Amino acid sequence: MYDRVKGSGWIHLHDEKARQIEFNVEDVAGNRSTLNFYIKRSNEPKGTLEETTCQQYFDRNVDNSFEYEDFKMNLPAGSLYDHLCFTYSQKKISTGNIFSNIHTICNAYTPAHRYFPLAIKPHIEFNRSFTDKAVIVYKNEKGSLSSKGGSWEGEWLKTRTREFGDYFISIDTIKPKITSINVSKGKNVSKQSTLSFRISDNLSGVKNYRGTLNDQWVLMNYDRKRARLTYKIDEHFPSGESEFKLTVTDGVGNRNVFETNLFK
């Protein structure tokens, strides 16, 4: 559908007259949003534009690949919305919780249509005892970090992603955080209907959780948007004293446990 856009999305300003621009976006249900604004061409110089040097030219209709020293990636045909002037750079760093070069592919504003694989080699001095804690980290344009996971293939840590930007290897040795909302040790919960917790993880993300009551599994509902985990007190919660236990595990196996005796 993008090939049929008139002018390929470019708006040409041939004089200094102000032009009104209107964008209309409509979803499948017919809901529409409209944005109006004016633009005007200026002949005043705005500085010198730096010429962008393409390491490779990627045709979106064919398979593309790039490899340089300790970084490699593949873009299967159809992964891009348009042909791409591909750029790559790396920054050598050996401080903090970073165990590879920082690899920059294009920039965070380059869109990808489909997931594509990439792989990174760690520094030579990477401690192999932390192999199972290693993840590939993505840094966005605002500096926020997110884990892309990863699995080892020989000396390479590989993952799949849809973002362009900065990537590097880090390790996650910090266990998930469990914060009680309405539960305290030895509390009488006979007058409440739920047990609620807030759970989070600093890097690799919450992978799974398990709640038990007197060593028996209980159903807990996870509101991922609010990072809230809730157990609805039901007929399976017996009168008297009970042992409640919540175990939360992150993406690389770090585990945290909250347990207490409760009364009803």
Side-chain angles (χ1 to χ4, degrees):
M1 59 181 281
Y2 300 100
D3 288 335
R4 295 194 296 270
V5 175
K6 185 177 181 180
S8 299
W10 288 90
I11 299 174
H12 298 281
L13 302 175
H14 300 291
D15 53 40
E16 296 184 28
K17 183 179 179 181
R19 310 283 180 174
Q20 183 180 12
I21 305 296
E22 179 177 294
F23 282 106
N24 292 288
V25 180
E26 185 174 329
D27 64 18
V28 294
N31 301 303
R32 174 178 292 188
S33 293
T34 301
L35 175 65
N36 284 283
F37 58 92
Y38 286 86
I39 59 174
K40 183 179 179 181
R41 172 179 171 176
S42 174
N43 289 323
E44 296 181 6
K46 297 299 182 181
T48 302
L49 294 177
E50 295 183 1
E51 182 179 354
T52 300
T53 302
C54 303
Q55 269 82 6
Q56 290 182 213
Y57 176 79
F58 285 173
D59 186 326
R60 67 172 183 154
N61 298 310
V62 301
D63 294 343
N64 298 278
S65 63
F66 176 82
E67 182 170 351
Y68 180 77
E69 295 181 349
D70 49 1
F71 177 86
K72 61 183 178 180
M73 60 178 289
N74 293 287
L75 281 169
S79 298
L80 298 169
Y81 287 101
D82 204 350
H83 307 312
L84 177 65
C85 168
F86 179 79
T87 61
Y88 167 84
S89 64
Q90 65 171 240
K91 182 187 297 183
K92 298 184 183 297
I93 189 168
S94 57
T95 60
N97 192 27
I98 299 177
F99 297 92
S100 72
N101 293 330
I102 298 177
H103 304 274
T104 301
I105 50 174
C106 297
N107 58 63
Y109 300 102
T110 305
H113 182 54
R114 295 174 183 167
Y115 283 87
F116 57 89
L118 64 79
I120 300 174
K121 275 185 182 180
H123 289 314
I124 295 176
E125 60 270 22
F126 176 68
N127 190 333
R128 294 293 172 175
S129 64
F130 291 114
T131 295
D132 61 339
K133 303 295 184 183
V135 293
I136 291 179
V137 174
Y138 171 69
K139 181 180 179 181
N140 69 14
E141 69 281 4
K142 296 180 180 179
S144 298
L145 306 180
S146 60
S147 169
K148 295 299 181 180
S151 59
W152 289 97
E153 187 175 271
E155 297 180 331
W156 295 88
L157 185 61
K158 61 179 185 177
T159 191
R160 293 177 62 83
T161 184
R162 280 185 62 186
E163 284 84 25
F164 288 85
D166 294 347
Y167 287 90
F168 58 88
I169 293 177
S170 185
I171 60 172
D172 182 1
T173 58
I174 300 175
K175 62 185 179 181
K177 186 177 181 180
I178 302 174
T179 303
S180 170
I181 296 176
N182 64 352
V183 181
S184 57
K185 294 185 181 296
K187 184 178 182 180
N188 188 321
V189 297
S190 58
K191 294 184 178 181
Q192 62 189 67
S193 59
T194 62
L195 306 180
S196 296
F197 304 85
R198 186 171 291 108
I199 61 175
S200 61
D201 187 72
N202 72 310
L203 187 56
S204 59
V206 173
K207 183 178 181 180
N208 56 56
Y209 54 85
R210 176 180 172 85
T212 61
L213 187 66
N214 299 323
D215 294 324
Q216 299 297 311
W217 176 84
V218 293
L219 177 64
M220 302 196 73
N221 294 314
Y222 185 34
D223 183 340
R224 187 174 297 274
K225 187 174 182 179
R226 297 194 299 164
R228 180 172 292 191
L229 197 57
T230 303
Y231 164 61
K232 184 177 181 180
I233 297 175
D234 54 20
E235 68 276 8
H236 299 294
F237 200 121
S239 299
E241 183 177 5
S242 294
E243 181 184 358
F244 177 82
K245 181 177 180 180
L246 172 62
T247 304
V248 180
T249 308
D250 69 12
V252 294
N254 299 309
R255 180 178 299 177
N256 196 5
V257 178
F258 175 93
E259 54 186 331
T260 185
N261 290 334
L262 300 174
F263 296 85
K264 180 183 177 186

